[in-house]
Structure formats: C-alpha cells, structure tokens
Amino acid sequence: MTPTLRLSDISRCFQGIIPSIIATSDSRGVPNVTHLSQVYFVDDQHVALSCQFFNKTRKNLDENPVACVEVLDPLTLQAYRLRLKFLRSEKSGPLFDRMALRIDAIASHTRMSGVFRLIAADVFAVESVELVEGFLTERVNEPEQQVSVDGMRTEVRGLQFVSERINRACDLESLLTEVLQALEEYFKFTHTSVLLWDEAGRRLVTLASNGYGDSGIGAEVGLGEGLIGTVARERRPLRVTSLEGDLRYARAIRRESADARRTLAAEIPLPGLPDAQSILALPLLVGGRLIGVFMAEDRDPMKFGEWHEAYLEIIANQIALGIDRMLDRPDDVAEPVPVPKRGLASPSARISTAGARCRKFIYYKSDDAIFVDDEYLIRNIPARILWKVLGESKRTGRTDFSNREMRLDSSLGLPPVKDNLESRLILLRHRLQEKCPDCQIVSTARGRFALRAEASIELVER
Amino acid sequence: MLNQRIRRCLEAGASVLVATVDARGIPSCCRASAITADDDLKTVAIYLPVATSQQTIKDIATTHRVAVAATHVIEHVSIQLKGTACTARLAHDDEAALVEDRHQAFGEVLYNIGFPRRLTRSVVHWPAFVIDMKVEEIFEQTPGPNAGARLR
C-alpha cells in the first residue's frame, strides 16, 4: 500500500524545474490539458497556480472547479498526481507578490513587462496526493539529504568565516573581494557578483565579481530592469531554477506577441554566465534602505534551494551592514588639504614619462563620459573625479589627493549624504586597470589616493 | 494537408499530454509515449503506457472525450486536439519499435535541455494502450495572446 504523502514530502516537484500538467473539464464534460511552468507550494493542504492569461483552463475552473495535476521530481523523475479543488483567485497579498516577483523578473529580462505578467494567484485545496505507480521501471535512489549535521557544522563555520572577513576588512574593496572568495571557498558559489545602488544615478553598478573571465565591474542595471533590477525595486529575494526553461517560455510568448504585431524592444543580454540555469539574487538592505544586490548563479538548475536562500539572506544582511559601515566611515585626514603649488615648471612632467606611450583622454561634456584612446572608460561622477585628478595633475604636477577634497568640490556632484565616494573610486580603479593599466589610481592611506601614470597623458574636452 | 506549425508539434520528440473526464466531470491526465496522425489530421493514434493510464482508459470507456496537447519542447510551440475516442486497445508487438523510437527521441530532447539519459530511460513506455481518436477541433496552445485560437 502506498504510504500517505504530504506535499512537503515532494517539495522538489514545486521548484519549477520540470513543467507540470493540469487537466480540467468544462461544464459539458469536455476535457482540456496543458503544461504548467510551476506549481507553487503554499502549505501541506494548498497549492497555487499562476494565472497569466485568461485561458481555457481558467474558464473551465469557473465552470467546474476541480483539476488533476501531475508533477515530476526533477532528481528522480518520479511522477505524482494531485487532485485539486479551486478555492479562490488572489490578486494581491504575500502569495501574489511572491509569485509575481519571478514572473516580473523574467518578463523584465525579456522586455515583456506588461504582456507577460501575473494576473492572479489561483489557490487550490489539495484533496489527494498520489505517487504514480509504475511510472518508472525502478525507483531512482533518493539523493542524500541536503543538510547533515556535518554539513551544518561546515555552514556555521562558513558563516563565522564570512562574518570574520567582513569585520576585519579595512576597506570596501577588500570586503567585497574577500566575501565573494569566501563564498566560493566554503559554499562552492563559483559565480557571484555585488552591485551597489547609486542613489544619484538611480542605477545599480557592479562593484565586485568572482568567477567570471571579464570582471564586469562598472556594468549598470536600472531599477526594475531584468532580474537584478527587479530584485532591487521589489527589495525581495529571487530564486530562479531552470532559468533556461523560463526564458524559453517567455521568448515563446514574445515571439507570439511579435507575430501579433506588437512592438517590443530588444532583449537585455543576461549578465554573467551565458548558460546559467539557476540564479539567486538578494537585495542588500539596511533597515529598508537599498544598499545593493548580491547575485549568485550556476549552471546546475538545482544549485540553490530554499535553504540556500535563507542562509544567504543572513550573509547578505552582514554584507549590507559591512558595506554601509564602510560607506559611512569618516576619512582619516589629519593634515589639511594640500594647496596646489601653481607655476611650477613643466607641470605635465609629473605624469608623463619620456618615451612612454601617450594616452589620450577625451571628456565628452554632453554625455558626462570619458573615453581613453577612443574606447569608453567611465561616466558620471567617477568620470568627473578622474577629470579633476587628471586636470589637476596636468596643471600643477600634484599626484596625491584626498577623499575630503573630492567631497568639498561641489562641481563633482557628490550627494551631500551617503555619497558612495569609496565605491566610485573602486569602480574608477577597476576601469583604469582594465582599459589603461599604465595610468592608475592607487590607495595610499585611508581617505587618500594617488595618481600613478607611466604614460604621458593628453587631455581633450569636447 | 497539415500546416508546418501543427506538424512540428507531432514530430518525434514532442511532449504529448492526454486529458480525459469521468462521468462525474472529474478530469484526469497522463503522459503519452507517442502520437501518430494521418495526413489530414482527421484521426490520431495515441500510445499510453499501460502502467500509468488506467484511469484514462476507464474514463474513455464511459465518456469517450479526449484532449491531447502536443508540444515542441524546445520552441514551446503547442497545439491541442479535441475529439472522441473511437477505439482503445493494447498495442501490437509490431508497434513496439515506433513507441521505442518516439520515447528515445523525447529522451534526447530532454537530454538537450539538461536531463540525464539515465533518468528518461527509466520512464515506463511499454506495454502500451492505443487510443484511436477522431479529431474534431484543433486549437493553438502556444503561450501568448493567440493561445486558445481555433485552428480547425
């Protein structure tokens, strides 16, 4: 006799990795069958289905509120059948929000917002759960439990390790680098990144990454744009399994919509792994204030479970507090801001080397962007900081600067509070390292930095 | 003649789902191993694993109503056939090769989207029932604004 099953016993079936099936029937007894991208676990007596289009399934449920759903375990392929009774449609509330986040994120990523959206969360009572006997030739062995006592010890040690690295970090750059390395070392999260929220620019800017060939430092995402932008806007974590399946589904709708002659914009390329199958994105928050977004991705569609989400939320909170502490830290500048000594001979000599390569920096005022040797380098506030530093060096020969004098210069446009100056300098340093390694900004002490140029520099403003 | 779009959904490698309903209006579903169609799509033969389709066969015996969703998994192009079951019988031995080929083709499609062959090989597909179904209506089922449109 088949033992009685609880929905929580088959929780893997509700991760949306393998599409499910739903059968309904209208009042005349005409059946209907379709795929479902995900059945959402509500509790042991209830599931929810997403209503994205007013389709035949929806009409049938209004006429005859019963359904049969078949779900598959993604690790064993064992099938289970659920007998459901339709209870209600929720168009707001926590369940609706949780289901809508995933759909909104995928829709935004494929530029389908508005077309591909959650209309309602349809809630069903589960009247029975049955294992489909004979579906498999033999039962596939259950994989080992995710959390063992040893595993928990490792994870607690990991938390301790990450926490300790956050605490001892002397600057923002080392904090982010060490945390991402620790996550790889302890938890095998091999592809991770941190984006910081720039209040002035109203965008998220990638400030650290681990596991990618190209660092992606400086890559920007608007609020509400794509998976990351949606997490930032909603300030809620997002775990997407079987990403490729979701994207295929959304692209099918997009293709069908295009056939219907709707005008849709081009798709945003997914940052990071081109073949990512699972994504976990967590907002970095301090009190409700957005600090940034932490993102991990993997080629394994089962990489991130509910447990990882809960665990990484603890780490994300620590990262957020650590970043906030760094950004709030006063600069240690004991000495007064150096006054430029004007009139020195050959001011440009300090940043040029005889016979060295010449770097041509062009600042485009209308775009607020700097190009180096005709290649895009940086824009907005970090561009203004660099232009100030390069110009000052060219004019006076100065190479040492302080954070304080940047903050006092109103022409840079730094916000009066929470100016993120340190993160902007990190971004600037990384972009210079990538685009012109012979012209560097280096940290010399807390609150101080210097320009180190091994190339001669030409400045042009347009 | 079937148009290309419909034909793609019935090719080897397609996902085929079947729904039936009992006399009380309670629906049931199962997965089919294979589907074949005549040139005009007036009839189709649906192959269902005996092990997992007991309720489906019971329903057909009483109501004869059948719905079949056929989907090209990679492109998410999907159609739904609705009609009545004319006969239901055990598949003959000479039909085993067809069912095996279709099952393997579906396994390859799943392999290409990340599912190990050892898993799909373990899904039972033989012996099979065959339902000969008279197709009365065909609907577009590809997700999007045209879903539900009647194709025939």
Side-chain angles (χ1 to χ4, degrees):
Chain A
M1 187 178 161
T2 308
T4 307
L5 284 168
R6 291 175 308 166
L7 288 183
S8 49
D9 294 333
I10 57 168
S11 59
R12 285 197 298 259
C13 301
F14 305 118
Q15 293 192 16
I17 292 171
I18 302 181
S20 306
I21 312 172
I22 182 168
T24 55
S25 165
D26 67 14
S27 56
R28 295 175 300 126
V30 178
N32 191 82
V33 64
T34 187
H35 282 291
L36 281 171
S37 54
Q38 188 167 3
V39 177
Y40 292 81
F41 173 84
V42 177
D43 58 39
D44 265 325
Q45 283 80 43
H46 299 89
V47 292
L49 308 181
S50 62
C51 174
Q52 288 160 249
F53 299 98
F54 289 114
N55 55 19
K56 184 66 180 167
T57 298
R58 196 68 201 71
K59 284 178 195 155
N60 282 358
L61 289 168
D62 287 339
E63 293 179 16
N64 180 18
V66 289
C68 176
V69 163
E70 187 176 291
V71 295
L72 290 179
D73 184 315
L75 290 186
T76 65
L77 275 198
Q78 178 58 55
Y80 300 87
R81 280 193 195 130
L82 318 179
R83 294 277 170 194
L84 307 181
K85 183 168 187 188
F86 175 61
L87 294 180
R88 62 185 179 275
S89 284
E90 294 186 7
K91 294 186 176 174
S92 62
L95 175 66
F96 178 89
D97 290 346
R98 184 160 61 91
M99 290 169 65
L101 180 65
R102 176 180 168 134
I103 292 168
D104 286 352
I106 298 289
S108 173
H109 181 71
T110 50
R111 290 287 172 104
M112 291 288 294
S113 299
V115 178
F116 179 42
R117 66 191 172 89
L118 185 66
I119 294 170
D122 290 341
V123 181
F124 293 78
V126 179
E127 299 192 321
S128 69
V129 184
E130 115 195 24
L131 180 146
V132 180
E133 295 283 358
F135 190 82
L136 301 175
T137 50
E138 56 188 40
R139 294 290 297 275
V140 176
N141 287 337
E142 285 286 308
E144 286 178 16
Q145 286 293 306
Q146 199 173 41
V147 183
S148 64
V149 173
D150 282 347
M152 286 181 72
R153 281 193 195 122
T154 304
E155 283 134 10
V156 171
R157 271 195 224 109
L159 187 58
Q160 183 186 29
F161 183 69
V162 173
S163 174
E164 193 261 332
R165 290 208 181 178
I166 290 171
N167 265 330
R168 81 166 185 214
C170 56
D171 57 40
L172 183 59
E173 193 167 12
S174 62
L175 183 152
L176 296 175
T177 306
E178 294 208 10
V179 165
L180 297 190
Q181 282 171 357
L183 288 173
E184 176 166 11
E185 194 176 320
Y186 263 84
F187 307 109
K188 310 294 179 219
F189 294 150
T190 50
H191 296 89
T192 50
S193 55
V194 174
L195 295 92
L196 253 56
W197 173 239
D198 177 6
E199 186 68 46
R202 305 290 297 165
R203 298 182 75 75
L204 292 147
V205 182
T206 309
L207 211 61
S209 70
N210 184 51
Y212 302 107
D214 292 328
S215 71
I217 304 288
E220 297 181 8
V221 178
L223 198 64
E225 276 180 20
L227 302 167
I228 295 169
T230 304
V231 165
R233 186 188 63 201
E234 300 298 322
R235 288 162 163 73
R236 282 186 287 126
L238 173 69
R239 181 164 51 90
V240 181
T241 50
S242 192
L243 179 65
E244 187 54 34
D246 278 354
L247 292 180
R248 263 204 316 276
Y249 181 76
R251 283 171 188 145
I253 299 171
R254 181 190 164 87
R255 184 188 61 227
E256 296 303 304
S257 301
D259 287 350
R261 292 180 173 75
R262 291 178 188 220
T263 306
L264 296 166
E267 186 177 326
I268 308 166
L270 186 69
L273 281 176
D275 51 354
Q277 283 292 316
S278 55
I279 282 182
L280 180 57
L282 300 163
L284 302 173
L285 302 168
V286 173
R289 184 164 46 86
L290 183 67
I291 302 293
V293 171
F294 166 82
M295 193 181 84
E297 54 182 352
D298 205 277
R299 293 186 176 94
D300 177 359
M302 296 287 290
K303 178 71 178 182
F304 307 116
E306 272 178 47
W307 190 88
H308 289 108
E309 185 178 325
Y311 185 82
L312 276 179
E313 270 196 83
I314 300 171
I315 290 184
N317 285 340
Q318 295 224 1
I319 297 172
L321 286 167
I323 293 172
D324 199 46
R325 175 169 57 87
M326 291 292 176
L327 295 179
D328 256 358
R329 208 170 46 162
D331 300 322
D332 285 353
V333 183
E335 66 273 39
V337 177
V339 178
K341 295 173 186 170
R342 296 186 183 279
L344 287 178
S346 184
S348 63
R350 297 288 293 274
I351 55 168
S352 61
T353 305
R357 178 177 179 172
C358 178
R359 291 282 191 182
K360 185 177 180 181
F361 290 81
I362 304 177
Y363 176 56
Y364 291 93
K365 277 179 88 170
S366 58
D367 296 321
D368 199 14
I370 294 176
F371 282 61
V372 59
D373 298 338
D374 295 326
E375 203 175 350
Y376 170 73
L377 178 65
I378 203 155
R379 67 190 181 96
N380 293 339
I381 293 173
R384 283 174 239 151
I385 292 171
L386 178 63
W387 201 244
K388 174 186 171 76
V389 167
L390 291 174
E392 195 80 12
S393 286
K394 192 87 176 166
R395 282 191 305 276
T396 68
R398 267 181 73 204
T399 55
D400 292 316
F401 299 87
S402 72
N403 289 6
R404 189 172 163 229
E405 67 179 293
M406 298 298 139
R407 290 193 162 105
L408 292 173
D409 186 343
S410 60
S411 71
L412 297 179
L414 281 161
V417 289
K418 303 280 179 196
D419 61 21
N420 283 8
L421 176 59
E422 196 173 349
S423 69
R424 296 177 207 280
L425 290 172
I426 293 171
L427 177 60
L428 183 52
R429 271 203 296 277
H430 278 277
R431 290 295 295 165
L432 286 168
Q433 272 164 17
E434 284 180 14
K435 296 296 170 190
C436 61
D438 44 15
C439 180
Q440 290 295 301
I441 289 213
V442 294
S443 182
T444 51
R446 199 158 127 192
R448 303 200 68 90
F449 63 91
L451 177 68
R452 298 276 183 265
E454 291 171 5
S456 63
I457 289 170
E458 182 187 350
L459 303 179
V460 177
E461 192 168 312
R462 286 181 183 160
Chain B
M1 290 290 286
L2 301 179
N3 70 35
Q4 280 297 101
R5 190 177 173 91
I6 295 174
R7 191 176 289 281
R8 294 212 73 182
C9 296
L10 300 173
E11 286 172 352
S15 160
V16 183
L17 315 176
V18 176
T20 52
V21 61
D22 72 8
R24 296 169 301 151
I26 307 294
S28 288
C29 56
C30 72
R31 291 168 199 263
S33 306
I35 187 168
T36 59
D38 62 21
D39 272 354
D40 295 326
L41 202 64
K42 287 185 177 162
T43 60
V44 292
I46 311 149
Y47 293 80
L48 303 171
V50 168
T52 57
S53 59
Q54 302 293 326
Q55 184 62 47
T56 301
I57 297 300
K58 272 188 213 165
D59 289 350
I60 283 171
T62 52
T63 67
H64 301 277
R65 293 285 199 176
V66 188
V68 178
T71 304
H72 188 288
V73 174
I74 302 294
E75 295 179 9
H76 258 296
V77 177
S78 190
I79 55 166
Q80 179 142 189
L81 315 174
K82 294 202 177 181
T84 50
C86 305
T87 58
R89 60 174 172 84
L90 264 178
H92 306 310
D93 287 348
D94 61 3
E95 292 169 293
L98 165 84
V99 172
E100 181 63 33
D101 286 352
R102 292 296 180 104
H103 178 70
Q104 284 198 12
F106 187 54
E108 284 308 296
V109 169
L110 294 185
Y111 175 72
N112 286 331
I113 57 174
F115 291 95
R117 289 190 180 101
R118 68 179 169 78
L119 285 182
T120 49
R121 271 200 295 264
S122 69
V123 175
V124 169
H125 53 285
W126 190 262
F129 287 122
V130 187
I131 302 168
D132 291 310
M133 172 188 166
K134 182 181 170 196
V135 179
E136 291 157 359
E137 295 170 296
I138 306 175
F139 296 94
E140 177 62 74
Q141 198 162 315
T142 307
N146 294 326
R150 190 170 172 156
L151 300 175
R152 193 180 84 186

